[in-house]
Amino acid sequence: MSKESKKTNNSFSKVAKVSLAILGVGFVASTALVIGMDRIMKKIFINEEWPEEEWSGEDWTDEDLEI
């Protein structure tokens, strides 16, 4: 192999390693973000005490809808 071929192959190897490292960090960060947001949303919306109201479709049926 010539020096140019080795140099090109070596630089490609470095670029591949750096890109894989960046993708790995992005994957770990996005996974942590999704898990964190899931826990926050469950804590806010599932454990919240909602007022008990009766929801009926009959409340608005007497009103005239403007088109």
Side-chain angles (χ1 to χ4, degrees):
M1 293 182 115
S2 67
K3 288 183 180 182
E4 287 294 320
S5 177
K6 286 183 181 180
K7 194 175 205 181
T8 304
N9 194 16
N10 193 14
S11 65
F12 178 74
S13 176
K14 286 181 183 179
V15 169
K17 287 180 183 178
V18 169
S19 63
L20 285 175
I22 291 171
L23 287 174
V25 169
F27 180 74
V28 169
S30 62
T31 302
L33 181 68
V34 167
I35 291 171
M37 289 301 293
D38 183 52
R39 288 185 182 177
I40 289 171
M41 294 306 224
K42 283 181 181 177
K43 190 173 195 178
I44 291 173
F45 292 112
I46 292 178
N47 294 332
E48 186 172 325
E49 295 291 328
W50 293 96
E52 292 185 21
E53 297 179 5
E54 290 186 24
W55 293 95
S56 173
E58 297 173 2
D59 294 341
W60 58 271
T61 54
D62 293 335
E63 297 178 14
D64 292 331
L65 299 176
E66 293 181 21
I67 299 177

PDB file of all heavy atoms in Angstrom, residues 30-48:
ATOM      1  N   SER A  30     -30.702  10.768  24.300  1.00  0.00           N
ATOM      2  CA  SER A  30     -32.121  10.751  23.941  1.00  0.00           C
ATOM      3  C   SER A  30     -32.888   9.709  24.742  1.00  0.00           C
ATOM      4  O   SER A  30     -34.039   9.933  25.120  1.00  0.00           O
ATOM      5  CB  SER A  30     -32.292  10.511  22.441  1.00  0.00           C
ATOM      6  OG  SER A  30     -31.769   9.251  22.082  1.00  0.00           O
ATOM      7  N   THR A  31     -32.270   8.582  25.029  1.00  0.00           N
ATOM      8  CA  THR A  31     -32.920   7.563  25.859  1.00  0.00           C
ATOM      9  C   THR A  31     -33.156   8.095  27.269  1.00  0.00           C
ATOM     10  O   THR A  31     -34.236   7.911  27.841  1.00  0.00           O
ATOM     11  CB  THR A  31     -32.065   6.289  25.911  1.00  0.00           C
ATOM     12  OG1 THR A  31     -31.858   5.809  24.585  1.00  0.00           O
ATOM     13  CG2 THR A  31     -32.722   5.209  26.739  1.00  0.00           C
ATOM     14  N   ALA A  32     -32.163   8.771  27.823  1.00  0.00           N
ATOM     15  CA  ALA A  32     -32.321   9.351  29.155  1.00  0.00           C
ATOM     16  C   ALA A  32     -33.407  10.415  29.160  1.00  0.00           C
ATOM     17  O   ALA A  32     -34.204  10.501  30.106  1.00  0.00           O
ATOM     18  CB  ALA A  32     -30.995   9.945  29.622  1.00  0.00           C
ATOM     19  N   LEU A  33     -33.487  11.209  28.105  1.00  0.00           N
ATOM     20  CA  LEU A  33     -34.511  12.240  28.014  1.00  0.00           C
ATOM     21  C   LEU A  33     -35.910  11.633  27.936  1.00  0.00           C
ATOM     22  O   LEU A  33     -36.830  12.083  28.620  1.00  0.00           O
ATOM     23  CB  LEU A  33     -34.260  13.116  26.781  1.00  0.00           C
ATOM     24  CG  LEU A  33     -35.231  14.257  26.556  1.00  0.00           C
ATOM     25  CD1 LEU A  33     -35.065  15.307  27.638  1.00  0.00           C
ATOM     26  CD2 LEU A  33     -35.012  14.861  25.187  1.00  0.00           C
ATOM     27  N   VAL A  34     -36.068  10.599  27.151  1.00  0.00           N
ATOM     28  CA  VAL A  34     -37.380   9.955  27.004  1.00  0.00           C
ATOM     29  C   VAL A  34     -37.813   9.316  28.320  1.00  0.00           C
ATOM     30  O   VAL A  34     -38.962   9.460  28.753  1.00  0.00           O
ATOM     31  CB  VAL A  34     -37.349   8.911  25.866  1.00  0.00           C
ATOM     32  CG1 VAL A  34     -38.572   8.015  25.909  1.00  0.00           C
ATOM     33  CG2 VAL A  34     -37.240   9.597  24.525  1.00  0.00           C
ATOM     34  N   ILE A  35     -36.909   8.642  28.984  1.00  0.00           N
ATOM     35  CA  ILE A  35     -37.250   8.005  30.263  1.00  0.00           C
ATOM     36  C   ILE A  35     -37.589   9.059  31.317  1.00  0.00           C
ATOM     37  O   ILE A  35     -38.556   8.925  32.068  1.00  0.00           O
ATOM     38  CB  ILE A  35     -36.103   7.091  30.731  1.00  0.00           C
ATOM     39  CG1 ILE A  35     -36.003   5.881  29.800  1.00  0.00           C
ATOM     40  CG2 ILE A  35     -36.308   6.645  32.179  1.00  0.00           C
ATOM     41  CD1 ILE A  35     -34.783   5.021  30.039  1.00  0.00           C
ATOM     42  N   GLY A  36     -36.808  10.132  31.349  1.00  0.00           N
ATOM     43  CA  GLY A  36     -37.072  11.212  32.302  1.00  0.00           C
ATOM     44  C   GLY A  36     -38.404  11.889  32.053  1.00  0.00           C
ATOM     45  O   GLY A  36     -39.169  12.146  32.990  1.00  0.00           O
ATOM     46  N   MET A  37     -38.708  12.186  30.797  1.00  0.00           N
ATOM     47  CA  MET A  37     -39.979  12.827  30.476  1.00  0.00           C
ATOM     48  C   MET A  37     -41.157  11.900  30.771  1.00  0.00           C
ATOM     49  O   MET A  37     -42.211  12.356  31.207  1.00  0.00           O
ATOM     50  CB  MET A  37     -40.001  13.261  29.006  1.00  0.00           C
ATOM     51  CG  MET A  37     -39.091  14.425  28.695  1.00  0.00           C
ATOM     52  SD  MET A  37     -39.465  15.899  29.641  1.00  0.00           S
ATOM     53  CE  MET A  37     -41.060  16.309  28.978  1.00  0.00           C
ATOM     54  N   ASP A  38     -40.962  10.606  30.544  1.00  0.00           N
ATOM     55  CA  ASP A  38     -42.017   9.636  30.851  1.00  0.00           C
ATOM     56  C   ASP A  38     -42.325   9.650  32.337  1.00  0.00           C
ATOM     57  O   ASP A  38     -43.496   9.682  32.743  1.00  0.00           O
ATOM     58  CB  ASP A  38     -41.584   8.250  30.395  1.00  0.00           C
ATOM     59  CG  ASP A  38     -42.663   7.214  30.614  1.00  0.00           C
ATOM     60  OD1 ASP A  38     -43.798   7.451  30.165  1.00  0.00           O
ATOM     61  OD2 ASP A  38     -42.369   6.174  31.234  1.00  0.00           O
ATOM     62  N   ARG A  39     -41.304   9.666  33.153  1.00  0.00           N
ATOM     63  CA  ARG A  39     -41.523   9.681  34.604  1.00  0.00           C
ATOM     64  C   ARG A  39     -42.175  10.977  35.059  1.00  0.00           C
ATOM     65  O   ARG A  39     -43.066  10.975  35.911  1.00  0.00           O
ATOM     66  CB  ARG A  39     -40.203   9.481  35.336  1.00  0.00           C
ATOM     67  CG  ARG A  39     -39.696   8.079  35.233  1.00  0.00           C
ATOM     68  CD  ARG A  39     -38.461   7.874  36.044  1.00  0.00           C
ATOM     69  NE  ARG A  39     -37.971   6.516  35.891  1.00  0.00           N
ATOM     70  CZ  ARG A  39     -36.876   6.074  36.452  1.00  0.00           C
ATOM     71  NH1 ARG A  39     -36.135   6.858  37.193  1.00  0.00           N
ATOM     72  NH2 ARG A  39     -36.503   4.824  36.267  1.00  0.00           N
ATOM     73  N   ILE A  40     -41.737  12.097  34.482  1.00  0.00           N
ATOM     74  CA  ILE A  40     -42.312  13.391  34.858  1.00  0.00           C
ATOM     75  C   ILE A  40     -43.778  13.453  34.465  1.00  0.00           C
ATOM     76  O   ILE A  40     -44.633  13.881  35.245  1.00  0.00           O
ATOM     77  CB  ILE A  40     -41.518  14.538  34.202  1.00  0.00           C
ATOM     78  CG1 ILE A  40     -40.145  14.662  34.860  1.00  0.00           C
ATOM     79  CG2 ILE A  40     -42.273  15.858  34.303  1.00  0.00           C
ATOM     80  CD1 ILE A  40     -39.207  15.602  34.145  1.00  0.00           C
ATOM     81  N   MET A  41     -44.094  13.027  33.252  1.00  0.00           N
ATOM     82  CA  MET A  41     -45.484  13.075  32.798  1.00  0.00           C
ATOM     83  C   MET A  41     -46.376  12.151  33.622  1.00  0.00           C
ATOM     84  O   MET A  41     -47.511  12.509  33.935  1.00  0.00           O
ATOM     85  CB  MET A  41     -45.581  12.707  31.314  1.00  0.00           C
ATOM     86  CG  MET A  41     -44.924  13.719  30.419  1.00  0.00           C
ATOM     87  SD  MET A  41     -45.575  15.353  30.735  1.00  0.00           S
ATOM     88  CE  MET A  41     -45.775  15.928  29.104  1.00  0.00           C
ATOM     89  N   LYS A  42     -45.874  10.978  33.965  1.00  0.00           N
ATOM     90  CA  LYS A  42     -46.671  10.078  34.799  1.00  0.00           C
ATOM     91  C   LYS A  42     -46.893  10.680  36.180  1.00  0.00           C
ATOM     92  O   LYS A  42     -47.974  10.567  36.748  1.00  0.00           O
ATOM     93  CB  LYS A  42     -45.974   8.725  34.923  1.00  0.00           C
ATOM     94  CG  LYS A  42     -46.129   7.869  33.696  1.00  0.00           C
ATOM     95  CD  LYS A  42     -45.451   6.536  33.868  1.00  0.00           C
ATOM     96  CE  LYS A  42     -45.599   5.694  32.612  1.00  0.00           C
ATOM     97  NZ  LYS A  42     -44.895   4.423  32.728  1.00  0.00           N
ATOM     98  N   LYS A  43     -45.880  11.333  36.714  1.00  0.00           N
ATOM     99  CA  LYS A  43     -46.005  11.931  38.037  1.00  0.00           C
ATOM    100  C   LYS A  43     -47.002  13.089  38.016  1.00  0.00           C
ATOM    101  O   LYS A  43     -47.791  13.254  38.947  1.00  0.00           O
ATOM    102  CB  LYS A  43     -44.638  12.440  38.492  1.00  0.00           C
ATOM    103  CG  LYS A  43     -44.584  12.863  39.927  1.00  0.00           C
ATOM    104  CD  LYS A  43     -43.163  13.175  40.320  1.00  0.00           C
ATOM    105  CE  LYS A  43     -43.023  13.235  41.810  1.00  0.00           C
ATOM    106  NZ  LYS A  43     -41.657  13.495  42.234  1.00  0.00           N
ATOM    107  N   ILE A  44     -46.991  13.865  36.955  1.00  0.00           N
ATOM    108  CA  ILE A  44     -47.885  15.021  36.876  1.00  0.00           C
ATOM    109  C   ILE A  44     -49.319  14.599  36.583  1.00  0.00           C
ATOM    110  O   ILE A  44     -50.247  15.015  37.253  1.00  0.00           O
ATOM    111  CB  ILE A  44     -47.408  16.004  35.788  1.00  0.00           C
ATOM    112  CG1 ILE A  44     -46.108  16.680  36.218  1.00  0.00           C
ATOM    113  CG2 ILE A  44     -48.472  17.057  35.495  1.00  0.00           C
ATOM    114  CD1 ILE A  44     -45.481  17.525  35.140  1.00  0.00           C
ATOM    115  N   PHE A  45     -49.501  13.767  35.560  1.00  0.00           N
ATOM    116  CA  PHE A  45     -50.847  13.536  35.061  1.00  0.00           C
ATOM    117  C   PHE A  45     -51.552  12.317  35.656  1.00  0.00           C
ATOM    118  O   PHE A  45     -52.759  12.314  35.771  1.00  0.00           O
ATOM    119  CB  PHE A  45     -50.830  13.418  33.535  1.00  0.00           C
ATOM    120  CG  PHE A  45     -50.495  14.714  32.874  1.00  0.00           C
ATOM    121  CD1 PHE A  45     -49.305  14.867  32.203  1.00  0.00           C
ATOM    122  CD2 PHE A  45     -51.361  15.770  32.943  1.00  0.00           C
ATOM    123  CE1 PHE A  45     -48.992  16.067  31.598  1.00  0.00           C
ATOM    124  CE2 PHE A  45     -51.062  16.977  32.340  1.00  0.00           C
ATOM    125  CZ  PHE A  45     -49.871  17.121  31.666  1.00  0.00           C
ATOM    126  N   ILE A  46     -50.836  11.291  36.015  1.00  0.00           N
ATOM    127  CA  ILE A  46     -51.504  10.098  36.521  1.00  0.00           C
ATOM    128  C   ILE A  46     -51.797  10.220  38.012  1.00  0.00           C
ATOM    129  O   ILE A  46     -52.860   9.835  38.472  1.00  0.00           O
ATOM    130  CB  ILE A  46     -50.662   8.836  36.234  1.00  0.00           C
ATOM    131  CG1 ILE A  46     -50.659   8.603  34.729  1.00  0.00           C
ATOM    132  CG2 ILE A  46     -51.211   7.632  36.967  1.00  0.00           C
ATOM    133  CD1 ILE A  46     -49.835   7.427  34.292  1.00  0.00           C
ATOM    134  N   ASN A  47     -50.880  10.787  38.765  1.00  0.00           N
ATOM    135  CA  ASN A  47     -51.064  10.856  40.209  1.00  0.00           C
ATOM    136  C   ASN A  47     -51.830  12.099  40.647  1.00  0.00           C
ATOM    137  O   ASN A  47     -52.001  12.336  41.826  1.00  0.00           O
ATOM    138  CB  ASN A  47     -49.707  10.827  40.907  1.00  0.00           C
ATOM    139  CG  ASN A  47     -49.015   9.499  40.700  1.00  0.00           C
ATOM    140  OD1 ASN A  47     -49.669   8.487  40.517  1.00  0.00           O
ATOM    141  ND2 ASN A  47     -47.702   9.497  40.714  1.00  0.00           N
ATOM    142  N   GLU A  48     -52.298  12.889  39.701  1.00  0.00           N
ATOM    143  CA  GLU A  48     -53.007  14.109  40.047  1.00  0.00           C
ATOM    144  C   GLU A  48     -54.459  13.775  40.379  1.00  0.00           C
ATOM    145  O   GLU A  48     -55.085  12.943  39.739  1.00  0.00           O
ATOM    146  CB  GLU A  48     -52.954  15.080  38.864  1.00  0.00           C
ATOM    147  CG  GLU A  48     -53.530  16.429  39.182  1.00  0.00           C
ATOM    148  CD  GLU A  48     -53.279  17.403  38.055  1.00  0.00           C
ATOM    149  OE1 GLU A  48     -52.224  17.321  37.424  1.00  0.00           O
ATOM    150  OE2 GLU A  48     -54.164  18.226  37.827  1.00  0.00           O
TER     151      GLU A  48
END
